[in-house]
Amino acid sequence: RPPLAYVSIQNQGDFLIELPDDFDPDRIPKSWSKIGSARGVCRYQPGPAVGQKVAALELAREFLALECDAAWAAFLRDFRPHLARIRRLTDALAEVDVLCGFAALSASDYVRPEVVETGEGEGALVEIEDGRHPLLDAAAADSARPVVPNAARLGSRGVSALVVSGPNMGGKTVYIKQCALLCLMAHLGCFVPARSFRCSVL
């Protein structure tokens, strides 16, 4: 005796019943309408009452979609006069959120970066002592294995580029992103995870 359960099939409909294709046709109610078939099964709509309920459900869904569209349009219409004020409010809240995050980091073991001016023709300057990737540093805060700090010196002693090499999964990408993130944080006015940090305006 096959278990009966409603199924939904794309392009065929909802609330269908599947029966094995070798099921005795004499045992299938005459009121059931065959909708389609697939490998090993035939699909039926169980009686006109179910078809009527499905049609009513589809009509209700269309009505719900129209009501939702109307409610959304009414919301936008009522909200539009306050849009400029809400936008100013959200911008202010976003700025406060960023500054609070900067303040929390500055109260930790992060250091204040030093941004210096370089002379004409001297190029950019980046000097990082015992720098740490900020995300890796936060992830390892509760770990027994601390982050291994790294140094970077560019623009001093004529060094303007570094070739970073090493084995796969050796931390090359983390090191490069760490230097970039620390420079970005410094230019945003945030303290950085390092023993000391000094750079020019990049």
Side-chain angles (χ1 to χ4, degrees):
R1 187 175 185 180
L4 297 182
Y6 286 125
V7 297
S8 298
I9 306 297
Q10 187 176 7
N11 299 326
Q12 292 190 13
D14 301 324
F15 301 101
L16 305 177
I17 291 180
E18 288 185 340
L19 295 176
D21 56 1
D22 58 353
F23 191 77
D24 184 2
D26 293 334
R27 298 175 59 192
I28 301 175
K30 301 300 182 182
S31 60
W32 287 20
S33 302
K34 185 176 180 180
I35 301 299
S37 60
R39 180 179 298 178
V41 296
C42 293
R43 301 186 181 102
Y44 296 86
Q45 188 176 77
V50 174
Q52 294 171 4
K53 296 296 184 182
V54 170
L57 179 60
E58 290 297 326
L59 184 62
R61 287 173 176 170
E62 293 179 4
F63 179 75
L64 175 62
L66 292 174
E67 290 296 312
C68 289
D69 290 341
W72 178 246
F75 168 75
L76 294 179
R77 184 175 59 252
D78 296 339
F79 182 78
R80 188 173 291 112
H82 310 286
L83 178 60
R85 182 170 55 183
I86 295 298
R87 180 171 293 171
R88 290 194 300 269
L89 175 62
T90 55
D91 289 345
L93 289 175
E95 185 174 349
V96 170
D97 181 51
V98 171
L99 294 176
C100 286
F102 286 177
L105 291 177
S106 301
S108 63
D109 59 346
Y110 283 28
V111 300
R112 181 178 180 178
E114 181 183 358
V115 180
V116 299
E117 293 185 3
T118 56
E120 185 176 353
E122 292 184 4
L125 172 68
V126 175
E127 294 180 350
I128 305 173
E129 295 293 339
D130 291 343
R132 308 181 305 276
H133 192 293
L135 297 181
L136 187 61
D137 194 47
D142 299 327
S143 174
R145 300 177 60 184
V147 177
V148 177
N150 296 289
R153 295 181 181 87
L154 291 171
S156 59
R157 298 187 302 277
V159 178
S160 59
L162 295 176
V163 177
V164 182
S165 62
N168 290 339
M169 306 299 292
K172 300 184 297 295
T173 301
V174 172
Y175 174 73
I176 294 171
K177 289 184 176 180
Q178 166 194 308
C179 296
L181 281 172
L182 266 58
C183 291
L184 180 61
M185 292 171 67
H187 281 70
L188 289 174
C190 181
F191 281 31
V192 299
R195 185 162 61 89
S196 66
F197 181 93
R198 185 168 175 259
C199 75
S200 61
V201 177
L202 303 176

